[in-house]
Amino acid sequence: RLPAGVTWGEVVGAWCLAGIGFTMSLFISDLAFNDETLIATAKIGILAASLVSGIIGFVILSRSLPKE
C-alpha cells in the first residue's frame, strides 16, 4: 500500500527522476573502455538517457501532483 496522500503517478515520476543519477556511470565508462571513441560514445549515451529520464519524470510529476 502507498502512504496516505501518495499516488502511483508520483511514485512513477520519482522512479523516472532516479534515472538522472549518472555520475557513477560516467566514472565506470572511463574505467571500462580504453578507446577514446568508445568513452565519448558512452558519455553521450549516458547524458542523453539522463536528459530523457529527467524530462519524462518532470512531465509525469507535473501531471500527477495536485494543482494549488
Side-chain angles (χ1 to χ4, degrees):
R1 292 184 180 216
L2 294 175
V6 177
T7 66
W8 279 108
E10 294 166 350
V11 172
V12 172
W15 287 342
C16 291
L17 290 179
I20 295 175
F22 62 90
T23 54
M24 197 60 172
S25 300
L26 292 172
F27 175 69
I28 291 171
S29 68
D30 282 339
L31 295 177
F33 302 118
N34 293 328
D35 183 18
E36 290 298 320
T37 305
L38 290 175
I39 293 172
T41 303
K43 287 181 179 182
I44 290 170
I46 292 165
L47 293 173
S50 296
L51 179 65
V52 169
S53 176
I55 291 169
I56 291 171
F58 173 78
V59 169
I60 291 173
L61 285 175
S62 67
R63 292 180 181 206
S64 66
L65 291 174
K67 307 291 186 242
E68 291 186 28

